[in-house]
Each structure stands twice: as structure tokens, then as C-alpha cells.
Amino acid sequence: MVASVWVLTGRAVFTTSKAINDWKEKSLWKNREVHFTKFGKSDYETLKSYLAVILENREYLGFKYIAVERAKTNRSIEETILKLHEHMLIRGAAHEVDNGRIDLPREMEVTVDEEQSLDSFVISDLRDRVGESYKNKFNDKLKLISLETASSKNSPLIQLSDVIAGAIGRILNHDGERNFKDDMADLVVQMLDLKLDEGNIDGLDSAARFNV
């Protein structure tokens, strides 16, 4: 599972991150990172308040996720994660352009969570492959000028993508008894208006999903 937050401008990255950080300083989450796996029973109302801040900046943001059912792929975890990121960046960019969210020509910067099993060699390969795909698909009018990793600790937007991934993963994969985590997952999906319909992805397995 890879979830992503697409931000329209560099200025919007700053304003949205600042809004989240300013809210966080006054919240019960002041001294913690925001990760879905760390949510407890008492976090529901705080999560709702957090998502309200995201909604205030929703016009600048796009949310996308891509997932593949591990039991139906023969790829290694590392290769699967690489392919998910590659398809996310290629199909995500096409969606942004096709729906008029971004105009061309355009330069794009990408930041990936450094904890997602992507070492420097893989990142370099991913940067080259996605950059070449953009050149061919968009007639050299969309340029990937940077693709770097960063710690989620220093990035409110990486933490937001983790919350989205955790919520969707919970809904798609949890078969046990329902508890507070399911309520939180539903809250994230409902407030951010995330779609969970399945779609096919060329080059990945039939169980893969891509949603925007």
C-alpha cells in the first residue's frame, strides 16, 4: 500500500504544513507524530479536529493510493514497493493533468518517506524511470526535478499520507472484530472523501488498486 498527498504549489506545501503544525502545537498531539497505527481509543475527537484542518486546505490537496494484494504477487516486498511508487507517480501525474488540476509546462518535486524500504540506489532508479516516463508521456513538458526521501518526523504531509494509508489498509484488510480503529478509519475516509473502488493497473497484478 502506498498513499500520497499531491500539493498544487510549493506555497501550498508551506501553508498546509504550517496550518497542521500550528494546530498540533495547541492539541493533545503536540509531542507526538501522527501515525494511524499509534491511534488509541481516546484519539477520535482529536483525529476529527486534525482532519478539519486538512479540509480547510483541501483545495490545494489531492489524495491518491495504490495497493496490491500481497498473496497474489510473486514480487519481493522491495520490488513491489518500488513498482507501487512508480505507478503512483506516473498515473497520479496523468490524473492531475487530465483533470486540469495542473497546467503544463510544470516542474515537480517528490518527497518519499525514508522508511519505505527504498535505498539510495532504488531512489535513483525510480527517479530516472519516472523522469523518462514524464518526458515521453508529456512531451517533455512535465519535469521531475527532484525525488528525495525525508523522515516523517519532519513532514506533516508524509504523516498525513501515513494516516490515509493506515485508514484504507484497515478498511481493505481487517477481517477481525470491529473496534475503535475501524471507526477512525471510516472517519478518515468520510471526511477526506476518499474512494475505495477497485481499478486495474497495467504492469501490476490484477488485484492492484489505484484510486484518486
Side-chain angles (χ1 to χ4, degrees):
M1 160 79 69
V2 171
S4 62
V5 178
W6 294 66
V7 191
L8 292 181
T9 67
R11 178 66 181 176
V13 171
F14 171 78
T15 56
T16 304
S17 297
K18 184 178 186 301
I20 295 171
N21 285 332
D22 288 348
W23 168 84
K24 192 176 176 184
E25 280 297 310
K26 302 174 184 178
S27 78
L28 295 176
W29 292 350
K30 179 178 180 179
N31 298 315
R32 60 187 271 194
E33 289 188 50
V34 182
H35 293 289
F36 188 86
T37 57
K38 296 181 180 179
F39 290 162
K41 291 182 179 179
S42 62
D43 286 325
Y44 187 89
E45 291 301 323
T46 308
L47 173 61
K48 184 184 291 188
S49 178
Y50 165 77
L51 294 173
V53 175
I54 307 304
L55 288 179
E56 290 174 359
N57 295 272
R58 185 68 172 88
E59 64 181 299
Y60 307 112
L61 307 177
F63 307 123
K64 312 181 196 301
Y65 83 89
I66 186 169
V68 64
E69 193 172 338
R70 187 179 300 177
K72 294 185 179 181
T73 180
N74 294 320
R75 303 176 189 270
S76 67
I77 293 177
E78 291 77 12
E79 184 183 3
T80 299
I81 292 175
L82 172 61
K83 295 298 290 185
L84 290 176
H85 277 88
E86 181 180 350
H87 281 272
M88 171 66 77
L89 291 172
I90 294 171
R91 294 188 57 150
H95 175 265
E96 294 289 291
V97 173
D98 291 346
N99 286 274
R101 278 178 50 84
I102 63 174
D103 298 320
L104 299 179
R106 170 78 58 136
E107 294 180 338
M108 193 166 83
E109 300 178 14
V110 176
T111 303
V112 178
D113 188 351
E114 67 180 7
E115 296 182 356
Q116 291 193 328
S117 301
L118 300 174
D119 60 29
S120 59
F121 297 104
V122 173
I123 287 292
S124 178
D125 182 50
L126 180 62
R127 184 187 304 114
D128 291 343
R129 288 160 65 171
V130 173
E132 185 65 23
S133 176
Y134 284 179
K135 181 178 180 179
N136 296 331
K137 189 175 183 66
F138 302 106
N139 298 316
D140 210 22
K141 292 182 178 180
L142 180 62
K143 297 182 182 294
L144 180 64
I145 61 173
S146 71
L147 197 164
E148 301 175 341
T149 61
S151 170
S152 61
K153 180 179 180 180
N154 302 316
S155 175
L157 296 178
I158 289 180
Q159 292 178 42
L160 174 58
S161 67
D162 176 88
V163 170
I164 293 170
I168 294 174
R170 180 77 181 190
I171 291 173
L172 295 181
N173 301 318
H174 181 65
D175 295 325
E177 185 176 346
R178 186 178 177 88
N179 62 28
F180 68 91
K181 279 289 183 70
D182 300 288
D183 295 332
M184 289 181 166
D186 289 344
L187 181 67
V188 172
V189 168
Q190 291 165 7
M191 287 191 67
L192 299 185
D193 193 26
L194 304 176
K195 308 302 181 184
L196 300 179
D197 298 329
E198 186 170 352
N200 295 325
I201 303 175
D202 294 335
L204 282 176
D205 308 80
S206 60
R209 302 165 180 255
F210 177 79
N211 294 86
V212 296

